[in-house]
Amino acid sequence: MKKLVLALSFAFSVGFAQAQTVEVPKETWYHADVEKTGVYGVNTEKALDFLKDKKRKPQTIVVGVLDSGVEHFHEDLKANMWVNKKEIPGNGIDDDKNGFIDDVHGWSYLGTAKGINYNDDSVELTRIYKTLAEKYDSYDQKKNHDAIVKNPTEYAEYVKIKREYLETVGKTKYNQQVAQAKLNAIEPGLNKMVLEFGDTKLTKDIIANYQPIDNQVIESLWIFGELKEEQWVGKTMTQVANSYLGMARRQAKADGLTSHYNLNLVDRKDVDNPNDLKERHYGNGDSNGPESSHGTHVAGIIAAVRGNKIGNEGTAGGNHVKIMSVRTVPNGDERDKDVANSIYYAVDNGAKILNMSFGKKYSPNKDIVWDAFKYAADKGVLIVKAAGNSNEDIDTHIHYPTNFKADGTSVSNAVLTVGASTRTSDKLKAGFSNFGKKSVDVFGPGAEIYATYPGVDQYRFLNGTSMASPAVAGVAALVWSHYPKLSAADIRTILMETVNKNEQLKDISVTGGVVDAYKAVQRAEEIYKQRKLK
């Protein structure tokens, strides 16, 4: 499941070592050079200067974004979208005979061949509970007893799963009611303040000296104590109300959708048969889909167009990187079958790097995903994936998909797991980020990341290991495109060996540091010389 948080951000200054304090723009901090600014960015510009000095010319490289979809017509992405040149758009024919009709920019496993797409699905907890409940929660007590006697271990798992599911249902209902009550309480007063203040820019003095007589207005004033000053000072009341009420509405709606879809015990039957794990060709060519905010943001972090003076610029550092969109992740938990098939599709159609900004607690068909990981590794593809946002040690609390099997087998040489770091050097690990001395390889910028958002010309700040993973995937693309004779294992090793280490990350990741593109290309250059490659 994709999880992130909207963020308000601002320019900041941080000291590092004994360097002078340097101001870093809020939109570009994740590109920063830590030695120059004290901010642990990925050091994109210095890497590009080095490559230019070495006269390294990049080759085109395709990055598969396995996500919610990508708005391929976005102003800052359309020039860098992968295009299947053998496919004629919209003719309803599989022109290139790859088994997928009209897969121009990628493919969607979250829809039907008739073009009917979906965005909401259940979570694995719900699916597992439903399966076990059908076996152990029958009105036939003898049937229940016989099943329990024959499968005591599975029954114990059912008891555990049932409790977790019902606790989640109760918490969800509570959160929905709280969100709606909050909206009901503040909306009338805020709307009245919008009319009263008009276009006035708010200041601390204005709010401190404001003496309303309307009870509904007075009842709403408490929000200024909840908000950070930068969220309302210098803004109009209309802007404040739209932002605050909009967030409240989204929370109420999101919790409602969670209650209705994520915890819904009725299986979807309008797309494919989720139990037919051998099925490969289903879905459609709509790689954007009905709601592509998460995937569009991820794609922009990797490969937003460089040099067009709009939006953001990707960490891949140039317009030779092309994004292939594979719709895999709904609002809910991605299905193992869809994850596996998305990997096969991206690999078979030329992607060299896969970004996977999703994950979940349970994975009933994890072996088919692991087999797909192995397939990608054998084909020389690098998988970069998010560590997850539960602030847990995933050495002990496994976050799926994982490159480790229960028997200890792994495909570690082809998988890079990324935790999220922040712009604040003395609190480097993002509070939400998962960690693990064995399971998290590196950290990358993942808090307050500015990038493309659906709406053709829209951009947002978002938080999550979902943002850290593409920041690192972009660096991998930058290095590999300029040093194409290296292997996926080489790229992974280079990125791990050249991190900027920090004591705060030492015991919570394999490398103990944040990825640095400049140091990575330096190391790649050294390897090329050692191996006498050109």
Side-chain angles (χ1 to χ4, degrees):
M1 176 185 280
K2 51 188 186 293
K3 297 180 181 177
L4 48 83
V5 180
L6 290 173
L8 293 172
S9 189
F10 48 92
F12 58 95
S13 301
V14 196
F16 176 75
Q18 295 181 351
Q20 288 186 336
T21 300
V22 177
E23 184 176 273
V24 179
K26 61 182 180 180
E27 293 85 359
T28 61
W29 79 264
Y30 56 98
H31 293 291
D33 173 359
V34 66
E35 293 182 1
K36 181 179 179 180
T37 68
V39 179
Y40 281 80
V42 298
N43 209 357
T44 314
E45 297 301 329
K46 198 170 182 179
L48 293 174
D49 288 342
F50 175 85
L51 293 167
K52 183 179 180 180
D53 181 62
K54 297 298 180 181
K55 296 181 171 55
R56 290 290 177 187
K57 302 296 182 183
Q59 292 187 9
T60 298
I61 189 168
V62 178
V63 179
V65 172
L66 281 54
D67 215 292
S68 64
V70 176
E71 187 179 83
H72 57 82
F73 47 86
H74 192 285
E75 64 173 8
D76 214 10
L77 286 173
K78 59 185 178 181
N80 284 349
M81 292 299 300
W82 172 76
V83 178
N84 184 353
K85 295 180 179 179
K86 297 179 181 179
E87 199 73 18
I88 300 172
N91 68 351
I93 299 173
D94 181 14
D95 300 290
D96 60 357
K97 309 299 182 186
N98 70 345
F100 302 91
I101 297 171
D102 292 335
D103 56 327
V104 178
H105 297 294
W107 190 252
S108 170
Y109 287 100
L110 308 181
T112 71
K114 294 182 179 180
I116 300 173
N117 297 313
Y118 75 91
N119 188 60
D120 299 298
D121 203 352
S122 56
V123 294
E124 286 294 357
L125 173 65
T126 301
R127 299 168 200 157
I128 295 170
Y129 171 67
K130 180 179 186 296
T131 300
L132 292 176
E134 289 172 350
K135 189 172 183 179
Y136 296 105
D137 202 17
S138 169
Y139 287 109
D140 185 338
Q141 295 303 311
K142 183 178 184 304
K143 179 181 177 182
N144 282 349
H145 178 267
D146 291 345
I148 293 169
V149 170
K150 292 179 181 178
N151 305 286
T153 301
E154 186 179 74
Y155 177 72
E157 178 69 7
Y158 164 65
V159 172
K160 170 179 168 291
I161 291 292
K162 179 178 181 179
R163 175 171 178 169
E164 184 178 349
Y165 172 77
L166 293 178
E167 284 180 350
T168 304
V169 170
K171 184 177 179 180
T172 299
K173 289 179 179 178
Y174 169 78
N175 287 339
Q176 182 180 5
Q177 292 170 6
V178 168
Q180 189 59 55
K182 185 176 184 180
L183 189 61
N184 293 341
I186 64 175
E187 188 168 16
L190 276 179
N191 287 338
K192 289 180 179 180
M193 282 191 279
V194 166
L195 294 176
E196 183 176 351
F197 280 88
D199 295 330
T200 300
K201 296 290 182 66
L202 301 178
T203 66
K204 289 189 284 186
D205 285 342
I206 287 175
I207 295 301
N209 296 319
Y210 181 44
Q211 299 293 330
I213 59 174
D214 186 288
N215 288 346
Q216 288 182 324
V217 171
I218 297 172
E219 289 173 357
S220 301
L221 281 175
W222 62 269
I223 72 163
F224 290 98
E226 179 183 68
L227 292 171
K228 296 178 180 178
E229 287 184 1
E230 62 267 16
Q231 292 176 287
W232 60 272
V233 172
K235 301 181 184 297
T236 67
M237 191 65 75
T238 299
Q239 290 174 316
V240 174
N242 286 344
S243 176
Y244 195 94
L245 293 175
M247 179 63 74
R249 291 189 189 101
R250 284 191 293 274
Q251 289 173 340
K253 181 180 179 182
D255 285 331
L257 286 174
T258 298
S259 179
H260 184 65
Y261 292 104
N262 292 4
L263 304 175
N264 196 325
L265 294 172
V266 179
D267 269 340
R268 299 195 66 96
K269 297 180 180 180
D270 54 350
V271 180
D272 63 288
N273 178 2
N275 298 316
D276 181 2
L277 301 182
K278 295 182 179 180
E279 185 181 18
R280 294 285 295 274
H281 296 91
Y282 57 95
N284 60 54
D286 184 4
S287 59
N288 178 19
E291 209 295 297
S292 61
S293 56
H294 192 271
T296 299
H297 198 268
V298 164
I301 296 170
I302 298 169
V305 174
R306 175 165 282 268
N308 60 0
K309 298 181 180 180
I310 58 174
N312 70 299
E313 293 185 336
T315 59
N319 302 327
H320 53 280
V321 178
K322 304 302 176 186
I323 295 295
M324 175 192 293
S325 173
V326 190
R327 284 196 74 226
T328 311
V329 187
N331 175 28
D333 279 345
E334 60 281 354
R335 294 181 182 258
D336 293 331
K337 173 184 173 181
D338 294 341
V339 173
N341 283 330
S342 293
I343 292 171
Y344 289 126
Y345 174 88
V347 171
D348 289 345
N349 287 280
K352 292 296 292 179
I353 299 171
L354 309 183
N355 185 80
M356 298 170 56
S357 288
F358 54 81
K360 56 188 179 181
K361 183 177 180 179
Y362 296 106
S363 181
N365 297 300
K366 53 185 173 293
D367 285 347
I368 68 169
V369 178
W370 195 91
D371 289 342
F373 271 38
K374 183 67 165 55
Y375 181 82
D378 290 344
K379 293 290 185 177
V381 173
L382 177 66
I383 294 173
V384 184
K385 70 183 190 73
N389 301 334
S390 304
N391 190 27
E392 290 184 323
D393 183 346
I394 59 175
D395 287 350
T396 54
H397 298 88
I398 299 176
H399 181 262
Y400 295 100
T402 176
N403 52 303
F404 297 97
K405 292 187 78 171
D407 63 3
T409 309
S410 77
V411 284
S412 294
N413 64 329
V415 180
L416 197 63
T417 302
V418 185
S421 55
T422 76
R423 59 184 182 162
T424 307
S425 60
D426 60 351
K427 293 182 180 179
L428 197 52
K429 175 193 167 296
F432 53 78
S433 180
N434 286 347
F435 53 93
K437 182 64 176 176
K438 180 184 77 170
S439 302
V440 175
D441 297 308
V442 297
F443 278 76
E448 297 175 299
I449 305 299
Y450 184 76
T452 47
Y453 200 81
V456 181
D457 60 354
Q458 297 299 300
Y459 304 84
R460 296 280 179 90
F461 288 95
L462 297 180
N463 297 325
T465 56
S466 284
M467 286 62 252
S469 180
V472 171
V475 173
L478 185 154
V479 179
W480 211 353
S481 61
H482 287 86
Y483 299 92
K485 293 182 181 179
L486 298 177
S487 68
D490 287 332
I491 299 299
R492 179 182 182 274
T493 299
I494 287 170
L495 265 58
M496 291 181 65
E497 288 180 347
T498 57
V499 296
N500 287 309
K501 294 182 180 294
N502 186 288
E503 284 294 314
Q504 298 171 65
L505 308 178
K506 178 181 176 181
D507 295 323
I508 59 173
S509 63
V510 177
T511 62
V514 179
V515 165
D516 187 300
Y518 170 58
K519 292 181 179 179
V521 293
Q522 282 185 304
R523 180 62 182 136
E525 182 74 22
E526 291 174 359
I527 293 173
Y528 252 45
K529 289 181 179 178
Q530 291 169 2
R531 298 179 185 175
K532 298 181 180 179
L533 301 173
K534 294 183 179 180

